[in-house]
Amino acid sequence: MSFGIHVNERPFDAEPRPGQCLRTYLRERGWFGVKKGCDAGDCGACTVHVDGRPVHSCLFPALRAAGRSVTTVEGLATDGELHPVQQKFLDAQGFQCGFCTAGYLMTTAALDDEQLGDLPRAFKGNLCRCTGYRAIEDAVRGVKHVEAPCAGAAVGRNLPAPAGPQVVTGTARYTFDIDVPGLLHMKLLRSPHPHARITAIDTAAALRVPGVHLVLTHHDAPERHYSSARHEHPTEDPDDTRLLDDTVRYVGQRVAAVVADSEAAAEEACRRVEVTYEVLPAVLDPEEAMLPGAPVVHAKDAGTARISRPQDNVVGEVHGETGSVEEGFAEADVVYEETFRTQRVQHASLETHGAVAWFEETDEGAERIVVRSSTQTPFLTRRALCALFDLPMEQVRVLAGRVGGGFGGKQEMIVEDIVVLAALRLHRPVKLEYTRAEQFYGATTRHPFTVRVKAGARKNGTLTAIQLRVVSNTGAYGNHGPAVMFHSVGESLAVYRAPHKKADGYSVYTHAVPAGAFRGYGLGQVVFAMESVMDELAWMLGMDPLAFRERNIIGPGEAMTGPGGEEEDLHIASYGLDQCLAVVRDARRESAQPAPPGWLVGEGTALSMIATGPPGGHIADARIGLRADGTYDLAVGTAEFGNGTTTVHRQIAAGELATTVDRITVRQSDTDVVKHDTGAFGSTGTVVAGKATLRASQALAERILDFASGHLGAAREECRLVEDAVECRHQRVPLKELYAAARTAGQELAADGHFGGTPRSVAFNAQWFRLAVDPGTGEIRVLRSVHAADAGKVMNPMQCRGQIEGGIAQALGATLFENVRLNDRGEVTTTAFRQYRLPQYADIPRTEVHFVETSDAIGPLGAKSMSESPFNPVAPAFANALRDATGIRFTELPLTRDRVWLALDRRAGTAAG
């Protein structure tokens, strides 16, 4: 008897493998709209219909689908017409990276009227990390945000993401949504010890497992050390990492890699690798790690490895003072000093880390290796791979499909190196895809910080001095450690006027899972401390905290001084912080929903400033050309992972070329398409890569008009571009005719654009909460949330609002419950979403987003960055509102319900006793 299953009305008879889930069965047959997000039925990205009922296909045994009808997102549309739910998500743009969208579509399509009336319950089985859920709710409710395109007038309008139709039909291709013939699968054996030396490793039993082709150990790895962090200048990061090392420094570090015909065979072989360890002392606390006699994490030469003080486990440090804080505190009428702590947070992008490598023949007949990776930095990853394996650039191509979320976590090379090593050894295609558990213990986290703040002010409310001591736990490897620590004390200090400032910062090694780049890049941790202290000073002075800030914030045209003085290329090229605080002031006057009887009510504000790009240069190239059909081809290096750069780049180009966005095709995130692009990180997709696109589009417009005037014999000043032609007085020549004429003349109507990322401007944000606290349980309810953003000229309000809402939602998760927990051995114990507690639809309040009116002198067409900055003021604004409600200053994140209740109960007990 045949298996017999119908998928989207197509019959399949192949029986599943023993124990195979429906998700992998479907994906192996090309239904790539079914996503792998969690492996445990927690995220809903794999939702399909079985006989009309939604199920999580990662938990549904494929064998149970025998004789049944399965519908995936690809099967929702009928007769070429989108399903009404697909159309609603398209009209509302109810997605960003889109990795979760298929799951939401399948869940929504099965809801009845009663379930539609209770979306928090209906969406308990689905997670989104990008949107903040408001856009998803709007899609379900049929709210339309997308505007129709019109020629020229593109910037500033709610134009749709070009990949929208593919996202809602499940045909957008993410990293592993491809079929590579002859593909082999890799699995990693990881260390069970926080610190140990490998004294022997035996792979013989592993190699005897049927289907195993290769086992890699430290004996096979290059001797060269490098950093997994990706920056334009590699010297920013310490060279402390070896591809496979004979010393392991955290529980979960890779020890060996097995390549086999199947994941099952590779996993079995991993279990049979025999490793003998010499267990070494370990240290997990960064303060203890700096003490004399602490175990040394990296005993390397400080100069060659670029580690500040390896013997003290200090990978990087900053010490700077402007004025004299000692004098400043002596001048103060009030001084407040406190220590604040922030926790590890996982990026939790729904698409896990992974890469596929294979070989292809170039046009010249040579062979090269191709790496398709879930990366934010294709060009920097290629450069690192070439350096590691001594390969010329032309022999390596790195590209990204659509990336399912990043948030800084994919500004690393943590899978591509081992995949390429295996592919080079076997000369076969090789794939490595992390499980959700591996994301927690084998990728990176946000840096945990301990921040000591001391600040003083006069009775009139002016600051006299600010002093910071920052200790960042970078974990076992220093990828991003020094850079995050340097950045954390920069704009957080510079946003306030004070004649005396001092900062001492330490990025410290421990034997814990490495930390890395994360949205806000250290600012969020220090802003939590700084903004909490600003509120406390205001309380001590009897001042309104908002008025206290308004008195002390930096003003337009003022110098920004941090611990190292001024950064020469950083400017306030437009100023909207005063407008942001005015939005908060107006919000405070308005009424909010009432709190339940007996609950405590409070409100709180916080602000932040962030540079619109990283220091030291961030390079982007773009190229745009006219095609034979009269449309345009735009090539950019930056990656798309829900950040919306693809949409914005089309809008920029369309505006300069007086055409519609649908006439511009974008090729991106591929080392073949442009000369170079540093990567999609540091909020640079619009302000750096966008500026390269702007310059290329402007140059092409001039080139087309110059050629048209000569072709028609008309004066140059009489010619103008329109949607699909050039008009010169009473003559009109279609663009496709100009293309043909140029080709006949041996000319190419194309142009390049370049921007080096400097000078830089700053963006501002302010967050305000009104919340209520139940003193009997510690439960907190947000009564109102308001966010003001200075994004300069807002290129796409719908999209920018979505970035802000997503940043707020992610920040609320970090504020309220997200916490990567380690046991006393340094082992990560939160290895699934149900243990880690990501924000769900019901957890996130709808935030009122206000854009203030500025136009930046540096950013393209007046725009500023807005991907990272909304995250930073959320935790302190929440903590300040909690302080206002309870009278208790909470100094440690997350602000879990039990932590709040214990503090209230402790205070009640103290009062009673």
Side-chain angles (χ1 to χ4, degrees), residues 717-762:
E717 61 271 15
E718 295 178 336
C719 298
R720 68 185 186 94
L721 271 166
V722 294
E723 181 179 355
D724 58 354
V726 173
E727 293 180 350
C728 296
R729 284 189 109 180
H730 304 300
Q731 302 180 80
R732 187 178 191 277
V733 57
L735 289 175
K736 56 185 178 182
E737 183 180 319
L738 279 178
Y739 174 90
R743 185 162 184 173
T744 300
Q747 294 187 39
E748 183 184 14
L749 295 179
D752 296 304
H754 173 87
F755 184 53
T758 184
R760 300 174 296 146
S761 186
V762 290

Side-chain angles (χ1 to χ4, degrees), residues 506-590:
Y506 306 87
S507 179
V508 184
Y509 284 125
T510 62
H511 292 103
V513 58
F518 189 100
R519 199 173 202 162
Y521 214 66
L523 273 180
Q525 294 94 311
V526 176
V527 168
F528 168 61
M530 283 281 291
E531 289 298 293
S532 297
V533 167
M534 293 301 130
D535 253 39
E536 288 300 326
L537 284 174
W539 281 97
M540 293 171 73
L541 292 167
M543 286 186 67
D544 174 9
L546 186 57
F548 180 78
R549 286 175 171 81
E550 289 171 331
R551 179 162 296 187
N552 289 288
I553 55 174
I554 193 171
E558 293 186 28
M560 292 176 284
T561 57
E566 295 182 54
E567 293 187 63
E568 290 184 2
D569 75 330
L570 191 59
H571 309 281
I572 302 177
S574 63
Y575 184 80
L577 183 53
D578 53 348
Q579 295 181 60
C580 288
L581 295 182
V583 168
V584 170
R585 186 171 292 285
D586 291 342
R588 296 197 314 177
R589 298 192 191 103
E590 299 169 7

Side-chain angles (χ1 to χ4, degrees), residues 10 93 109 187 262 296 310 508 539 587 608 688 707 734 778 856 909:
R10 287 177 53 187
Q93 194 152 317
K187 284 293 180 180
S262 67
V296 175
V508 184
W539 281 97
S608 65
V688 177
F707 182 81
D856 200 69

Side-chain angles (χ1 to χ4, degrees), residues 28-84:
E28 287 172 3
R29 280 145 190 84
W31 304 110
F32 294 126
V34 184
K35 299 302 183 206
K36 170 189 178 294
C38 67
D39 310 308
D42 294 333
C43 76
C46 67
T47 303
V48 300
H49 293 173
V50 177
D51 290 340
R53 296 185 61 187
V55 301
H56 288 177
S57 61
C58 69
L59 297 181
F60 195 92
L63 194 62
R64 284 184 56 195
R68 305 173 81 171
S69 175
V70 175
T71 305
T72 72
V73 67
E74 293 97 332
L76 272 185
T78 56
D79 300 325
E81 294 291 327
L82 292 180
H83 187 282

Side-chain angles (χ1 to χ4, degrees), residues 157 171 194 222 255 270 292 299 361 416 566 736 820 829:
R157 301 182 62 224
T171 55
V255 170
C270 281
E361 190 174 293
E416 297 89 347
E566 295 182 54
K736 56 185 178 182
V820 178
T829 59

